[in-house]
Amino acid sequence: RDGEQSPGCSMTTPEKLEVARNLVDMGVDLLEAGFPIASAGDYEAVQAVSREFPEARVAALARTVPKDIDRALDALDKAKNPRLHCFIATSEIHLKYKLHKTEDEVLEAAVKAIEQAKKHIDDVEFSAEDGSRTNMEYLCKISKAAVDAGATTINIPDTVGFMVPHE
């Protein structure tokens, strides 16, 4: 999925299936196939990868927004080993300028999204978008709340490339 937002890097469903096939052949067991709310193509890609590679865990990406969660769950409906991967920005700069929300509002949205997903699916991943620039105390707080809500995987991405390798 990564690179989808780069100009000229969007893949068709057949291209995503080809990449998925190569990843499965290499032994990769988790395929994040798309962001179903983003486009009909991404929705179809999640369904197609789920059909084509039932032995792999197939993930769909969603913001911590109810309609995103619903769309991702729908796309994963036929997956044998589904994972829903939800995310929300957690850094102070993203809270202030992108989301216009407080830390408490973002934490509440994350917990509600995970709880919504867990009603339908066992494997839920939570990502603290821009985690590398998030205050460590808040990052720990939201990660613990996500686990308490049922998240099975916590991802702390360096969304904007802020960190250097030794960090």
Side-chain angles (χ1 to χ4, degrees), residues 3 13 39 45 48 53 60 67 70 76 81 96 112 118-119 152:
T13 296
S39 69
F53 305 101
K67 67 180 180 177
D70 287 341
L76 290 166
N81 298 301
K96 183 175 181 179
K112 284 183 176 179
K118 287 296 281 191
K119 291 177 183 172
T152 51

Side-chain angles (χ1 to χ4, degrees), residues 24-75:
V24 168
D25 288 348
M26 289 188 291
V28 173
D29 64 352
L30 173 62
L31 306 170
E32 187 164 300
F35 188 7
I37 198 78
S39 69
D42 263 21
Y43 179 89
E44 168 55 31
V46 171
Q47 290 184 320
V49 171
S50 296
R51 281 191 309 270
E52 186 84 16
F53 305 101
E55 70 281 4
R57 183 163 304 280
V58 178
L61 186 66
R63 295 170 298 183
T64 57
V65 175
K67 67 180 180 177
D68 279 37
I69 302 294
D70 287 341
R71 183 81 168 156
L73 289 169
D74 191 54

Side-chain angles (χ1 to χ4, degrees), residues 138-159:
Y138 180 61
L139 186 59
C140 290
K141 181 179 179 179
I142 198 166
S143 296
K144 181 178 183 328
V147 169
D148 290 347
T152 51
T153 301
I154 300 296
N155 180 23
I156 302 172
D158 183 27
T159 306

Side-chain angles (χ1 to χ4, degrees), residues 39-40 60 101 121 123 125 133 136 147 151 153 155:
S39 69
K101 293 184 182 289
I121 197 168
D123 190 1
E125 178 176 352
R133 293 194 297 178
M136 186 60 70
V147 169
T153 301
N155 180 23

Side-chain angles (χ1 to χ4, degrees), residues 1-12 15-16 19 42:
R1 182 196 57 82
D2 279 343
E4 273 291 304
Q5 296 179 39
S6 300
C9 289
S10 185
M11 293 184 282
T12 65
E15 290 169 333
K16 285 189 178 199
V19 169
D42 263 21

Side-chain angles (χ1 to χ4, degrees), residues 64 106-116 126 142 145-146 149:
T64 57
V106 165
L107 189 141
E108 182 181 348
V111 167
K112 284 183 176 179
I114 293 163
E115 290 173 346
Q116 177 186 353
F126 171 72
I142 198 166

